[in-house]
Amino acid sequence: MLLALKLKIAVAALAGFATPLAVAPLVIDRGGDRALDAQQAIVEIAPGAISYRLSGEFTRGGRQVEAPKGALRFDRPVAIMLHQVSAADYQLCVDDGACRAMTAGTAIRADRPAIEVSWHDASAYAEWLSAKTGVIYRLPTDAEWAYAAASRFKDDGLSTDSTDPSVRWIARYVRESEIDRAAAALRGFGGFGANERGLLDLAGNVWEWTSTCFVRTALGDDGRALNHTSNCGVRIAEGQHRAYVTDFIRDAKAGGCSAGLPPIHLGFRLVREPNTPMALLRKQFARAAS
Amino acid sequence: MMTRRETLLGAALTSLVLTAPAFAAAADDIGKLPRQKIDLVAPPFVHAHQQATKEGPKVIEFKMVIQEKEVVIDDDGTKFQAMTFNGSMPGPLMVVHQNDYVELTLVNPASNTMPHNIDFHASTGALGGGALTLINPGEQVVLRFKADRTGVFVYHCAPGGNMIPWHVVSGMNGAIMVLPREGLKDRDGKPLHYDRVYYIGEQDMYVPKDESGKYKTYGSPAESYTDTVEVMRKLIPTHEVFNGRVGALTGKNAMTAKVGETVLIVHSQANRDTRPHLIGGHGDYVWETGKFSNPPETNLETWFIRGGSAGAALYTFKQPGVYAYVNHNLIEAVELGATAHFKVDGTWNDDLMKQVSAPGPIPNAPSN
């Protein structure tokens, strides 16, 4: 089903590209504001591998099981922002009319992250920055975030395959409750320290949007995926714990039936794609199509 | 306003004089009663007590120290100029039995800035004791009243006029539980017991915002007054919380129980209506209006607590898990904060509920 959907998108995209591509000069011009691109503090993480537990929910034989964990290899470097996008940087996009304004009263500071932003806000900023600089910026996938976060990435495995659903429920609740959630006050960049890769403030009090959708996968007895359903109206925000948040939410709250704990703040940082000819071509296609 | 209160107080004093002989005799008898001193504990916990007693009435001594202090009321760090009975919002739950005498020493330390008093809905006369307990910073007062009727009742500060609602929504409210001497009973007179009791005091709060929409902070309750009343008069709370802050009863502070245990939940709201609901559970026996001389209703889904009253619900947990206990105006529960959690340990009962088929793709759905 998902494959069919992807195919559909590809066909639509090709149809969309057809006309402009035919007339667009096939010259790869970087263009854009090079200074703005150069201003981005980027950390390039060398290729390597991490132990990574898949996101989403997994069932086997009709009941929920722990998500599989395995080694995840990155063959290419991951270039990711040193710190979260600042309120001042986000405001540039707002001033350009490409991003939605932040909540009234937000201090527009270059040393504090933009918070109370939805996944759509974060994506709009990435598009704007890409268009502005001529370099592709995008949200990291959950796996990329985990790779960048290294020891700051929290494995959310629950080592129980009990048939009693309350065991998993209580275990998750207790673990999330144990996190010290005292400080909601924003800190300046670096206020939550750096990880071993030199990235600042991972898993502080700002959760970071990723591009990864909520996926539920049914596993067969051999552990291989039988099928899955994907909901991209819910994206993963990474931080002190992995949170599944509706994409238009700016300020996640718990309560009612959801007895878990929500992210304190929602912010984001972006991955910068290398300027390979392929990437630039992709960008040009995208621009032509839009 | 002062005049009106003085008039009421005058009326109360007159009636006291007229009936003085009878009261004097009673007072002598009270002097002979055994006395018991109880140390109060902060909600949601409740001081140790007997559910039923074969002993005769006593004089139960309590002491509460009023504290004006700045507190944080949500995860965003919003600061609030609180006024409290004994340092907590709500004040502690007091438990006595019918016909006991409640003897409260109320202390207003010199470090406070305002006069305070206490009005017990459980008491009779003198504006619930309010007219006899108004004390300035640096003073204390001792009030005694007979707990002549059973139930859970609100108490609150009522220092006159505009001060009354402001002190109440600033934190000066709590509850007292007057148990029947023979304990709680169902409608057929069968005894009811509880293994645990929790006290939830729900409170509406009205925090002023500045021009940019940020919550304002103040150096003292008095400085916050004018702005706060402006918000109060619009009757839309900025926060609606259990036990003084958003999240006071969730996470590490979630209430706990075990499958098979019976829990009594006392819920008060001194100012505004609310409608408690235990998500995934019920109220086995509910005294919605909080008065134990009325038979409890059974198997309720949601119960109504009128502003200015307390109610009590008895429930035996049958299934483990995390339960949300909410004000089932869900906007108030989720957006304004009126959510608590129970963490209940035990073994799952498939007979009561089972996920027959886990979430997965819709079978035979048309592919697209």
Side-chain angles (χ1 to χ4, degrees):
Chain A
M1 196 166 66
L2 195 80
L3 189 71
L5 190 70
K6 271 184 184 158
L7 205 66
K8 224 166 151 180
I9 290 169
V11 170
L14 278 176
F17 289 162
T19 323
L21 197 62
V23 292
L26 263 175
V27 178
I28 295 170
D29 171 23
R30 239 193 84 166
D33 184 340
R34 281 159 196 261
L36 183 60
D37 180 40
Q39 276 169 25
Q40 309 301 320
I42 299 287
V43 174
E44 189 170 289
I45 303 164
I50 51 162
S51 168
Y52 174 73
R53 187 178 302 281
L54 295 177
S55 62
E57 281 186 11
F58 291 81
T59 58
R60 183 185 290 166
R63 61 186 171 88
Q64 200 179 338
V65 294
E66 190 176 31
K69 188 179 179 179
L72 184 68
R73 267 210 70 76
F74 287 82
D75 296 328
R76 291 191 310 160
V78 174
I80 188 164
M81 289 179 169
L82 171 69
H83 53 71
Q84 292 140 0
V85 171
S86 73
D89 280 351
Y90 182 86
Q91 186 61 34
L92 294 176
C93 176
V94 175
D95 294 343
D96 249 11
C99 285
R100 205 155 65 104
M102 284 179 282
T103 309
T106 304
I108 310 300
R109 294 179 58 157
D111 63 343
R112 295 280 192 285
I115 57 159
E116 291 185 38
V117 287
S118 70
W119 182 86
H120 292 292
D121 296 332
S123 302
Y125 179 84
E127 270 180 46
W128 170 81
L129 186 63
S130 302
K132 202 81 181 161
T133 58
V135 178
I136 293 174
Y137 287 91
R138 59 171 174 79
L139 286 173
T141 64
D142 184 73
E144 285 170 331
W145 193 93
Y147 185 54
S151 63
R152 298 275 182 114
F153 172 66
K154 303 286 193 299
D155 181 356
D156 64 352
L158 291 165
S159 58
T160 168
D161 287 352
S162 170
T163 52
D164 183 339
S166 72
V167 173
R168 174 175 300 276
W169 199 7
I170 290 174
R172 180 178 298 278
Y173 187 79
V174 167
R175 190 174 55 195
E176 291 180 8
S177 299
E178 278 164 359
I179 298 168
D180 181 15
R181 295 174 56 87
L186 287 184
R187 300 186 189 175
F189 290 132
F192 287 95
N195 73 349
E196 62 268 46
R197 308 211 194 278
L199 267 67
L200 303 180
D201 308 322
L202 294 148
N205 61 9
V206 178
W207 271 246
E208 300 177 13
W209 286 108
T210 74
S211 60
T212 301
C213 302
F214 173 69
V215 178
R216 185 180 272 120
T217 307
L219 300 173
D221 289 337
D222 58 356
R224 284 201 296 188
L226 297 174
N227 59 54
H228 62 260
T229 46
S230 173
N231 175 10
C232 288
V234 171
R235 304 275 174 161
I236 294 175
E238 275 289 2
Q240 291 176 357
H241 65 267
R242 204 181 239 166
Y244 296 85
V245 186
T246 303
D247 59 3
F248 55 81
I249 291 294
R250 292 184 128 190
D251 180 14
K253 286 194 196 295
C257 298
S258 64
L261 294 173
I264 299 172
H265 299 298
L266 290 168
F268 66 104
R269 76 180 77 209
L270 299 175
V271 162
R272 183 168 68 177
E273 286 279 5
N275 269 314
T276 59
M278 260 319 282
L280 289 170
L281 203 61
R282 264 209 305 275
K283 180 174 77 70
Q284 206 148 38
F285 283 175
R287 193 181 286 169
S290 63
Chain B
M1 177 178 55
M2 277 302 283
T3 318
R4 179 182 158 81
R5 195 170 78 243
E6 276 163 6
T7 308
L8 285 167
L9 176 57
L13 284 173
T14 308
S15 70
L16 194 65
V17 170
L18 287 175
T19 55
F23 272 79
D28 284 348
D29 293 339
I30 296 167
K32 292 175 193 155
L33 291 178
R35 300 178 77 83
Q36 186 184 353
K37 190 166 172 259
I38 288 176
D39 290 327
L40 292 165
V41 299
F45 304 107
V46 180
H47 64 80
H49 59 271
Q50 289 184 302
Q51 294 180 38
T53 178
K54 291 195 164 66
E55 297 169 23
K58 293 178 191 172
V59 176
I60 312 287
E61 299 173 28
F62 297 99
K63 181 181 175 185
M64 290 205 288
V65 179
I66 295 160
Q67 289 179 36
E68 298 169 8
K69 60 180 183 182
E70 184 183 87
V71 296
V72 170
I73 56 166
D74 59 29
D75 290 338
D76 297 330
T78 303
K79 289 177 179 148
F80 183 76
Q81 290 294 329
M83 300 186 249
T84 69
F85 286 112
N86 236 31
S88 62
M89 292 191 286
L93 183 73
M94 308 156 89
V95 184
V96 300
H97 288 91
Q98 186 176 22
N99 293 329
D100 282 344
Y101 291 84
V102 176
E103 191 171 292
L104 173 72
T105 302
L106 188 65
V107 182
N108 189 0
S111 51
N112 286 343
T113 60
M114 262 176 302
H116 298 286
N117 70 352
I118 191 162
D119 166 0
F120 281 102
H121 289 188
S123 75
T124 306
L127 309 179
L132 302 177
T133 53
L134 190 66
I135 44 173
N136 289 306
E139 294 181 327
Q140 73 170 43
V141 65
V142 182
L143 176 77
R144 187 189 68 222
F145 73 88
K146 185 174 187 176
D148 68 346
R149 61 202 67 213
T150 60
V152 283
F153 298 84
V154 159
Y155 65 76
H156 62 91
C157 188
N162 313 64
M163 292 296 108
I164 300 173
W166 180 50
H167 280 236
V168 169
V169 301
S170 294
M172 295 192 82
N173 61 83
I176 181 167
M177 177 159 70
V178 183
L179 287 165
R181 300 202 77 80
E182 63 280 11
L184 299 175
K185 289 181 175 169
D186 72 6
R187 71 178 70 180
D188 301 321
K190 186 172 88 45
L192 296 170
H193 299 279
Y194 45 89
D195 301 303
R196 296 169 190 252
V197 54
Y198 288 111
Y199 170 42
I200 294 171
E202 182 172 345
Q203 188 180 318
D204 39 335
M205 292 166 155
Y206 305 83
V207 186
K209 290 176 179 167
D210 64 19
E211 302 75 27
S212 65
K214 293 280 174 202
Y215 288 120
K216 289 172 84 167
T217 56
Y218 300 91
S220 69
E223 287 167 63
S224 75
Y225 175 74
T226 308
D227 289 352
T228 303
V229 168
E230 201 178 312
V231 184
M232 285 163 55
R233 289 180 63 107
K234 296 189 176 109
L235 299 173
I236 300 172
T238 56
H239 298 71
E240 178 82 23
V241 303
F242 295 155
N243 292 24
R245 65 160 287 164
V246 177
L249 300 176
T250 63
K252 282 178 199 164
N253 302 319
M255 295 173 285
T256 58
K258 293 186 180 73
V259 168
E261 279 185 340
T262 301
V263 177
L264 182 71
I265 307 165
V266 176
H267 193 123
S268 70
Q269 220 302 10
N271 196 60
R272 195 166 176 273
D273 298 342
T274 181
R275 45 203 64 68
H277 173 91
L278 179 66
I279 301 179
H282 300 93
D284 290 342
Y285 298 92
V286 181
W287 293 269
E288 189 179 49
T289 53
K291 307 305 170 274
F292 299 132
S293 53
N294 303 303
E297 288 189 86
T298 55
N299 300 320
L300 297 195
E301 57 178 319
T302 299
W303 42 103
F304 188 67
I305 307 291
R306 295 141 185 81
S309 77
L314 197 71
Y315 182 60
T316 304
F317 281 97
K318 294 176 172 59
Q319 199 80 296
V322 180
Y323 289 73
Y325 175 88
V326 299
N327 172 343
H328 209 289
N329 177 324
L330 295 169
I331 302 163
E332 298 182 16
V334 178
E335 296 291 335
L336 301 189
T339 297
H341 292 156
F342 279 95
K343 188 167 75 65
V344 180
D345 293 314
T347 306
W348 186 262
N349 180 344
D350 276 341
D351 182 47
L352 284 170
M353 184 181 283
K354 183 174 171 59
Q355 186 179 53
V356 177
S357 166
I362 302 163
N364 307 320
S367 181
N368 50 18

